[in-house]
Amino acid sequence: MGVVDLITRVNSICKKYEKYDLNKQREANVSGDDAFSRLYSAVESALETVLQKTEDLSSETNKAKAVAMNAEIRRTKARLLEGIPKLQRLALKQVKGLSKEELDVRNDLVLSLRDKIEAIPETSAPVVGGWEASTSYSNIRFDTNVSDHRIGSEYFEPTGESDQFKQEYEMKRIKQASDQGLDYIAEGLDTLKNMAQDINEELDRQEPLMDEIDTKIDKAATDLKSTNVRLKDTVTKLRSSRNFCIDIILLCILLGIAAFIYK
Amino acid sequence: MSSDPDKMMSKADKMTKLTLTRWSADWRGATELYEQAANGFRASNKYEKAKVALEKASKGQEMQASPWDAAKHMESAAALAQKLSIWNEVVDFYRKASELYVECGRAQPASDALGKAARALEDVKPDDAIQLYTDACEILEEDGRDQMAFDLYRACANVYIKLEKFTDAATFFLRLGVAADKCDATNSQCKAYLSAIILYLYAHDLQQAEKCYNDCSQIDAFLKSDQSRSASRLLTAYNEGDIEEIKKVASSSTVSNLDHMIIKLARKLPTGDVTAIQMNTNDDLDEDDLT
C-alpha cells in the first residue's frame, strides 16, 4: 500500500508547510528570524487554538464533554505559561542586528502574550462556592503551575467536590504527557499492523511465483550444463593436434600444386 | 538484405503471397523481414507502419505455430496503437494477444495484456475498460490465481467510482472479498468489505449498507476484525445521526489504510442530512449484495 504511505507523508508535509505560512504572516510583525520570534509565533498559534476551543466549549451541550474540554484548556494554558519564562529569557538576550527599541518591544510583547494567556476564560457550570465564568486573575491563576497557594479564599469556598476536581486535575496533568505519548504510539502501531498484514499477503502471493522461477531456472541450468559439455567436446575435437597437422599438410600440398600450375 | 524498411515489407509481402512460382508461403523468412521492418519503422518514428509490420509479423509467428512470439508482437502492436490513440485497435490487439497467451497456457500474461488494455482505455472508454478488467479477472480465477486478481478488482472499482456508479463499485469490492476468501487473505477481505460498506453509505443507501454489514458478519474473519468494528461504529453513528462520530471514524487509522479513493469518499461522509437518511426509503437497487 505505497499509496497509504504517500498520503501520510503528504499530509505531514502539508502540515509542516502550513506552519510556515502562518509564521510568515506573523514574522511580518515581529522582526528577525531568530529563536525568539519562532517561539513567540508558536506560542501565539497555540493560544489561538485554545481560544478556538473556548468558543467551541460555549456551544457544547454535553456536560461530560464540557468538563473534558475545560480540562484540556487548563492543560494547554499551563503549558503555555510554562513557556513564557523561556520566552522572556530569549527576549532579553541581545541578538545581532536588533536595536534597543526592538528589544524593549519584545519584552512588552512577551508580557502582553502572558496576559492574554492568563485571560483565557474557563467557563464551567457553577460549582458550590461560585467558580464563575470570570476573567479575573486570581481565579485563573489557581489553575496554573505558578502559584497554587494564591487560592484567594474570598473568591470561592473549597468544598469536597472542588477539592476532588482539583486533585483530578493534578493527576491528569501528571498523566498528560504519557497519554499523548500513548496516543502517538497507538497510531504508529496501527499503521505498522496494517503494513505488516499487507506484507504478509504480498509474500503469500509471491510464494508460488518464486517456486515457478525456481523450477524454470533449474531447467535452464541443466540445459546450460549439457550444452557446455557438448561445446567442450566439439572444441577439443576441433583443436586436437592430429586434425591440425592434417590441415597444415593439406594446405602445403595445395600451395605446391598452385605454385606448380603458375610456374 | 535491404536496410530500407519499406522494401523489406514489400519483399516479405511477396514471400507470403501464393503465386504460380511460389506454392507455399515462406513464413519464416517473411516473419524475419517483418520484424526487421518494424524495428526500422520504429527507429524512424513511423508508428503507423511499424504497427502494421508488427501485425503481420505476429500473423507469421502464428502460422509458424509459436503463439508466444505472436502474442508478444501483438502486444507491441497494441502499444503502438495506444500511442496513436486508435482505441478500437488497441482493444482488438490486446484481446488477440491475450488469446494467444491463453493458447500457450500462460494465464498471467494473458490477464496482464487485458489489464494493460483496460488501463489504456480507463479515461477514454471506461465501459470497455471495465469489461476488459472483468475478463482479465475471470482468466486469473479460472487458473486459480486469485491473488493476482485483487489489483484488477481494485482498479475496476476505481473506474466505477470515477464514473460515480457506487453500487457497482461496491459489488466489485465484494467480489474482491470472495477472491480473497479463496486464498485466505483475510486482511484484504476485511478491507474490501469495509470499502463496500463505505461506498453504500456514500451513496445514501443505509439499508444496503446495513444489509451488507449483516451479510459480511456471517464471515468469521470479518466479524473479528478491526474493520468490522469500524463498520459497526459507522453504522451506529449513522443511525443516531451523530456527525461527529462519523467524522471520527472516517479519519481513524482503519479507514486510512484503505484505497485512496475510498479514503477520499470516507472523508466526505456524511453525504447529506443524516437523520433524513433513515426516513428516506431509497429505491432499492436490485443487485446482489454478495456474489
Side-chain angles (χ1 to χ4, degrees):
Chain A
M1 287 291 145
V3 182
V4 175
D5 284 354
L6 266 174
I7 289 182
T8 23
R9 278 186 193 168
V10 168
N11 275 341
S12 54
I13 290 176
C14 282
K15 274 193 216 141
K16 257 198 235 172
Y17 278 106
E18 272 174 52
K19 214 167 60 172
Y20 275 108
D21 271 348
L22 291 171
N23 268 347
K24 280 206 181 87
Q25 283 176 17
R26 258 181 238 115
E27 264 158 37
N29 301 332
V30 183
S31 58
D33 52 346
D34 49 352
F36 171 83
S37 39
R38 260 183 275 132
L39 191 58
Y40 181 81
S41 34
V43 174
E44 244 189 323
S45 57
L47 181 63
E48 266 164 47
T49 41
V50 173
L51 285 169
Q52 178 69 31
K53 280 199 197 124
T54 51
E55 280 169 21
D56 292 345
L57 186 64
S58 51
S59 56
E60 187 64 57
T61 48
N62 192 345
K63 283 218 174 135
K65 274 197 192 154
V67 170
M69 284 175 90
N70 260 335
E72 256 255 9
I73 291 171
R74 283 197 283 265
R75 223 167 54 191
T76 344
K77 258 186 67 179
R79 254 210 323 265
L80 290 176
L81 278 168
E82 276 172 45
I84 286 291
K86 188 175 172 205
L87 203 60
Q88 271 184 321
R89 266 183 283 128
L90 278 175
L92 293 171
K93 240 195 328 195
Q94 178 67 276
V95 180
K96 261 198 290 190
L98 211 57
S99 63
K100 184 93 182 25
E101 297 96 38
E102 281 176 327
L103 213 60
D104 292 344
V105 166
R106 282 195 172 183
N107 221 356
D108 292 346
L109 279 170
V110 174
L111 289 170
S112 65
L113 194 62
R114 186 180 183 203
D115 292 349
K116 263 194 262 176
I117 292 174
E118 286 175 345
I120 293 173
E122 292 147 67
T123 56
S124 50
V127 181
V128 172
W131 284 28
E132 310 157 346
S134 74
T135 55
S136 71
Y137 269 47
S138 31
N139 251 359
I140 292 166
R141 210 163 278 166
F142 159 73
D143 288 322
T144 69
N145 238 348
V146 181
S147 41
D148 273 323
H149 61 275
R150 272 202 249 175
I151 305 168
S153 53
E154 62 263 28
Y155 285 101
F156 75 101
E157 279 170 30
T159 60
E161 219 174 300
S162 65
D163 273 339
Q164 207 187 357
F165 275 136
K166 198 174 25 150
Q167 271 172 1
E168 266 178 38
Y169 173 61
E170 297 288 328
M171 274 179 48
K172 270 192 203 146
R173 241 205 355 239
I174 294 166
K175 285 196 234 168
Q176 94 189 38
S178 55
D179 269 351
Q180 232 182 8
L182 284 173
D183 276 336
Y184 282 138
I185 293 176
E187 260 183 54
L189 278 176
D190 269 332
T191 322
L192 270 176
K193 175 176 164 205
N194 181 65
M195 281 203 264
Q197 281 175 325
D198 284 337
I199 290 176
N200 190 18
E201 286 187 0
E202 196 59 40
L203 285 172
D204 282 337
R205 198 200 292 204
Q206 302 205 342
E207 196 198 321
L209 297 177
M210 296 298 286
D211 288 334
E212 259 187 56
I213 291 179
D214 205 17
T215 24
K216 284 195 191 159
I217 290 196
D218 280 338
K219 185 162 157 285
T222 38
D223 282 344
L224 208 63
K225 260 193 225 164
S226 61
T227 314
N228 271 345
V229 167
R230 273 190 295 159
L231 195 64
K232 197 165 148 205
D233 283 338
T234 322
V235 168
T236 16
K237 230 172 49 175
L238 273 178
R239 293 184 62 190
S240 67
S241 34
R242 199 180 56 156
N243 288 351
F244 205 48
C245 291
I246 293 175
D247 287 337
I248 293 181
I249 291 170
L250 286 174
L251 204 65
C252 294
I253 293 174
L254 263 173
L255 281 171
I257 293 174
F260 190 64
I261 292 176
Y262 279 118
K263 275 235 177 81
Chain B
M1 202 163 55
S2 56
S3 52
D4 180 18
D6 285 306
K7 275 203 216 136
M8 282 195 265
M9 285 288 287
S10 45
K11 202 155 161 229
D13 282 332
K14 266 188 265 174
M15 282 167 117
T16 56
K17 264 203 236 325
L18 298 169
T19 61
L20 278 174
T21 48
R22 191 189 288 279
W23 286 26
S24 67
D26 177 16
W27 283 111
R28 184 178 302 177
T31 316
E32 268 180 45
L33 284 171
Y34 280 133
E35 283 170 11
Q36 284 167 8
N39 287 337
F41 282 133
R42 234 198 299 227
S44 53
N45 288 346
K46 290 195 193 134
Y47 294 124
E48 176 68 48
K49 297 205 181 156
K51 181 171 64 78
V52 172
L54 281 169
E55 249 185 276
K56 299 205 180 147
S58 159
K59 180 131 187 297
Q61 293 284 13
E62 228 188 301
M63 292 295 169
Q64 288 181 283
S66 50
W68 178 261
D69 294 311
K72 278 245 168 286
H73 287 315
M74 262 301 163
E75 264 198 85
S76 332
L80 286 172
Q82 193 180 332
K83 226 187 269 198
L84 296 166
S85 306
I86 309 174
W87 302 117
N88 47 355
E89 279 199 5
V90 170
V91 179
D92 289 332
F93 288 166
Y94 271 126
R95 272 200 192 277
K96 188 100 201 297
S98 154
E99 280 164 22
L100 289 163
Y101 279 127
V102 169
E103 235 182 88
C104 295
R106 310 281 291 273
Q108 182 67 43
S111 94
D112 280 344
L114 290 179
K116 278 189 228 167
R119 222 160 291 138
L121 290 174
E122 254 179 26
D123 297 316
V124 189
K125 282 197 198 171
D127 298 309
D128 286 347
I130 288 170
Q131 186 57 41
L132 287 162
Y133 273 128
T134 346
D135 293 339
C137 297
E138 274 166 23
I139 293 180
L140 283 173
E141 283 181 350
E142 268 168 43
D143 206 42
R145 292 158 165 272
D146 296 278
Q147 278 180 320
M148 310 294 165
F150 290 173
D151 292 323
L152 291 167
Y153 278 128
R154 270 197 281 261
C156 191
N158 279 340
V159 174
Y160 267 128
I161 291 176
K162 265 195 253 179
L163 295 172
E164 307 224 337
K165 293 193 187 152
F166 298 117
T167 33
D168 294 327
T171 326
F172 264 94
F173 272 116
L174 294 170
R175 278 176 72 172
L176 212 183
V178 171
D181 193 43
K182 255 195 266 176
C183 21
D184 288 327
T186 43
N187 195 25
S188 292
Q189 191 182 13
C190 301
K191 286 207 275 197
Y193 289 148
L194 182 59
S195 313
I197 293 174
I198 290 181
L199 279 168
Y200 281 131
L201 286 175
Y202 191 79
H204 297 273
D205 212 342
L206 187 58
Q207 278 100 335
Q208 278 276 29
E210 290 197 337
K211 259 196 283 176
C212 182
Y213 176 68
N214 289 336
D215 288 333
C216 299
S217 311
Q218 308 290 335
I219 300 174
D220 246 349
F222 181 66
L223 193 59
K224 294 190 243 171
S225 68
D226 287 337
Q227 281 85 1
S228 132
R229 250 183 286 131
S230 302
S232 68
R233 272 170 70 192
L234 205 53
L235 286 169
T236 35
Y238 253 88
N239 276 321
E240 291 169 5
D242 188 355
I243 298 189
E244 266 297 317
E245 180 68 20
I246 295 175
K247 292 240 180 268
K248 232 196 318 174
V249 177
S251 41
S252 73
S253 59
T254 322
V255 169
S256 309
N257 285 332
L258 302 172
D259 265 349
H260 61 287
M261 302 276 277
I262 305 288
I263 298 178
K264 267 195 273 183
L265 295 179
R267 302 260 194 260
K268 289 196 206 152
L269 286 176
T271 46
D273 192 12
V274 186
T275 46
I277 287 177
Q278 290 170 295
M279 305 195 272
N280 190 11
T281 50
N282 300 319
D283 29 316
D284 252 61
L285 302 143
D286 47 12
E287 272 183 352
D288 293 355
D289 279 333
L290 278 181
T291 50

